[in-house]
Amino acid sequence: MTPQAQATGRVARRRQATLAEIRATVRRLLNKGGPPAVTINAVAREMGMSGPAVYRYYASHDELVEAVIADFYDELTEAIVAARDAQAADAHGARLLAACRAMRGWATTHSTEFTWMFASPAPPFDERGDDSPRRRSGQAFERVFFDLIVDVWAVAPFPVPGPGDLPLALREQLARYAAETGGLLPPEAMHVFLSGWIKLYGLLCMEVLRQLDFARIDLEPVFEECLRDLCATHGLTYEPPVR
């Protein structure tokens, strides 16, 4: 390697290290003071930099937020995939349950990060560029659960609504989404998958955002009930968590 190439490599490594440090600083500020605490000037002060210096790494506050949220998605996805892959490849029910429980485990122990990921405004779908880190990482997260259901469908198709059982407008949307995801699930199976995901995700958001604190309910049994229903819907055997 030439001296010029070595120097270029050192500069690139320093830049990547600074980018990672900026995002780690944002996470500390977020957990300490919530989203209002995350400003370019606050990041600069924490790092002993100037505001303009931070802008050499991230062109705007929005770009920085996108990058940090992408990190959170990647971390969550890694936890889910690790839990899924700890189960046998052909144990579809165990893999789905492990993935769902890992998602809840990460979300409830990283409630501030989860809230920033899922409760903060995102650009309209049509305005999100394919190169958006948040979009790429978000799609990777979504794909984990989608692929799990695709695996189930490939081995043992589960009951789905008949062609006339869904409103026309919904069928058209489902058909479009099914095509966008490679046609791996027919629209009716996509409806079953999305319905289960909405219930699971909605319950988790209510728990993390503390929307059920008025009832002071431990939501783990409720979450497990939702998983039991999810397994039944997809023709899988539910197994309670190992304590």
Side-chain angles (χ1 to χ4, degrees):
M1 183 180 293
T2 65
Q4 182 179 2
Q6 289 177 337
T8 300
R10 285 195 297 271
V11 170
R13 287 193 295 273
R14 283 198 298 269
R15 178 174 178 82
Q16 289 303 314
T18 303
L19 288 168
E21 185 181 356
I22 289 172
R23 297 197 302 274
T25 301
V26 168
R27 188 172 195 165
R28 288 197 302 273
L29 290 169
L30 177 67
N31 278 287
K32 184 177 180 179
V38 180
T39 66
I40 295 295
N41 287 336
V43 172
R45 283 194 303 272
E46 286 283 312
M47 296 183 63
M49 301 171 65
S50 67
V54 176
Y55 282 115
R56 290 202 295 268
Y57 294 91
Y58 291 100
S60 67
H61 178 268
D62 287 346
E63 183 178 303
L64 176 55
V65 169
E66 286 270 306
V68 173
I69 289 179
D71 281 351
F72 295 164
Y73 269 119
D74 291 342
E75 186 178 312
L76 172 57
T77 302
E78 183 179 350
I80 293 170
V81 168
R84 178 201 67 189
D85 291 349
Q87 308 300 319
D90 60 350
H92 300 297
R95 286 166 69 84
L96 179 62
L97 289 169
C100 292
R101 288 168 181 151
M103 178 174 67
R104 179 177 179 269
W106 190 93
T108 54
T109 55
H110 299 82
S111 58
T112 302
E113 290 91 337
F114 184 88
T115 300
W116 219 35
M117 292 161 65
F118 293 106
S120 62
F125 187 84
D126 294 339
E127 296 178 13
R128 302 177 198 176
D130 290 337
D131 59 344
S132 162
R134 178 177 181 170
R135 182 177 183 183
R136 289 198 306 270
S137 296
Q139 288 178 327
F141 159 71
E142 295 162 6
R143 192 77 192 193
V144 174
F145 290 97
F146 176 74
D147 287 346
L148 283 165
I149 300 304
V150 168
D151 289 344
V152 173
W153 179 259
V155 174
F158 41 84
V160 299
D165 293 338
L166 298 174
L168 177 60
L170 179 57
R171 290 205 308 273
E172 291 174 346
Q173 294 175 72
L174 291 168
R176 183 169 58 249
Y177 184 50
E180 290 172 355
T181 51
L184 298 174
L185 288 178
E188 295 77 17
M190 187 68 77
H191 173 69
V192 174
F193 159 64
L194 289 175
S195 296
W197 170 249
I198 289 168
K199 292 176 183 176
L200 196 71
Y201 167 67
L203 175 61
L204 185 55
C205 284
M206 292 188 75
E207 178 176 14
V208 174
L209 297 177
R210 306 182 69 108
Q211 295 299 305
L212 290 171
D213 278 11
F214 65 89
R216 297 186 295 280
I217 292 175
D218 173 12
L219 288 178
E220 182 178 6
V222 183
F223 189 79
E224 288 299 320
E225 183 179 349
C226 188
L227 291 184
R228 189 181 294 106
D229 292 343
L230 187 69
C231 286
T233 298
H234 292 88
L236 301 169
T237 300
Y238 169 82
E239 293 291 344
V242 177
R243 300 299 180 188

